Amino acid sequence: MQSIPLVALLRKPLDLSSLAALVERPSAGAVVTFVGTTRNRHEGRPVRYLEYEAQEALARKELERLCAEAREKWEIAEAGVWHRLGKVEIGETSVAIAVSAAHRAPAFDACRFLIDTLKRTVPVFKKEYFADGGDAVWVGPDGKPVAL
Amino acid sequence: MIVFVHYHALLRDKTGRTNESFDLPGSQPTLRDLLNAFFARYPGLRKLETSIRAAVHDEFVESGDALNEGDRVDLLPPFGGG
């Protein structure tokens, strides 16, 4: 099986343990991981599923830039981010992050930085489809429908 | 000067197209000139004026950056990753 790089946009379920294994290093005593999953409700409406798309070349480049920035800012060994694209069912993982470090504190900080920043700076777009039959909506970085 | 604009996500839904060309006047138009032309063509999307982003050849560009003949410009609505 072809190995997935540390930064990837994938149209299949994300396997957190595979990503965590990719960042493991003999010198790293800590691996911190984060997963974002699809909620079943949004502002009181029942969500049926999500669809993600991206400007893929730019999104990959920006994620790689964020991982490099995390390695500069914190004493970490490695960082990886996988983001799902396409249709994502309720409860599935939409984003997975893993950071390894000699000690846990910088790994936690870098992981937090990556998820907080990617929401604002990486050109990934999310559309929510509802079970109540109402119109699907595009959701912005604040988690709210984009106002027009 | 012709540039080729690609619409993503919300912008594709609202314009009903994946791409179209814009003929910008002047010898050295900027992204700001393109956005002005875009919002003139789609006045219903003006609320996105402060949140829309753009990229040329897979790099982010800012409103004062110059565009060149034949550039592929991606117009990007608010991001929703994570």
Side-chain angles (χ1 to χ4, degrees):
Chain A
M1 197 181 86
Q2 200 183 353
S3 70
I4 300 170
L6 279 167
V7 164
L9 304 167
L10 300 167
R11 283 179 178 74
K12 58 181 185 179
L14 306 182
D15 178 27
L16 179 65
S17 60
S18 301
L19 177 60
L22 272 187
V23 303
E24 280 174 6
R25 296 290 180 273
S27 61
V31 175
V32 168
T33 61
F34 171 85
V35 293
T37 58
T38 305
R39 277 188 298 264
N40 66 354
R41 298 189 79 76
H42 186 178
E43 297 187 335
R45 297 179 70 186
V47 176
R48 198 149 59 96
Y49 62 90
L50 304 184
E51 266 179 13
Y52 285 95
E53 61 180 77
Q55 205 288 20
E56 294 188 39
L58 185 56
R60 261 192 298 273
K61 210 181 274 187
E62 182 64 16
L63 284 171
E64 277 163 9
R65 197 190 64 70
L66 290 183
C67 288
E69 189 178 342
R71 287 194 301 268
E72 279 172 27
K73 279 187 169 162
W74 289 280
E75 293 265 322
I76 61 172
E78 197 51 271
V81 182
W82 291 349
H83 204 296
R84 185 85 180 268
L85 295 182
K87 185 175 179 180
V88 182
E89 304 286 351
I90 302 304
E92 289 190 337
T93 298
S94 54
V95 62
I97 298 173
V99 180
S100 60
H103 304 287
R104 66 185 179 279
F108 274 112
D109 290 346
C111 189
R112 175 79 189 253
F113 162 80
L114 288 168
I115 184 59
D116 287 352
T117 312
L118 80 82
K119 285 173 173 281
R120 290 185 290 103
T121 69
V122 178
V124 171
F125 312 103
K126 173 163 69 177
K127 195 173 193 178
E128 290 187 341
Y129 291 80
F130 297 100
D132 60 13
D135 289 344
V137 297
W138 292 97
V139 177
D142 56 358
K144 294 189 164 57
V146 176
L148 284 175
Chain B
M1 192 189 86
I2 305 282
V3 296
F4 300 100
V5 174
H6 287 246
Y7 297 126
H8 292 263
L10 171 78
L11 295 177
R12 182 188 61 243
D13 280 2
K14 294 298 175 186
T15 61
R17 17 189 357 148
T18 57
N19 60 81
E20 68 183 321
S21 59
F22 281 79
D23 189 356
L24 302 174
S27 58
Q28 192 50 277
T30 62
L31 174 61
R32 174 45 55 196
D33 297 316
L34 171 62
L35 291 175
N36 288 342
F38 170 78
F39 287 114
R41 199 175 286 187
Y42 300 102
L45 298 177
R46 279 193 189 277
K47 276 199 176 158
L48 297 175
E49 271 185 316
T50 55
S51 57
I52 202 168
R53 299 289 309 274
V56 174
H57 304 306
D58 301 331
E59 296 282 355
F60 284 116
V61 290
E62 304 302 329
S63 62
D65 289 341
L67 299 178
N68 295 298
E69 177 76 31
D71 273 350
R72 175 205 156 108
V73 183
D74 289 286
L75 286 191
L76 309 165
F79 305 160

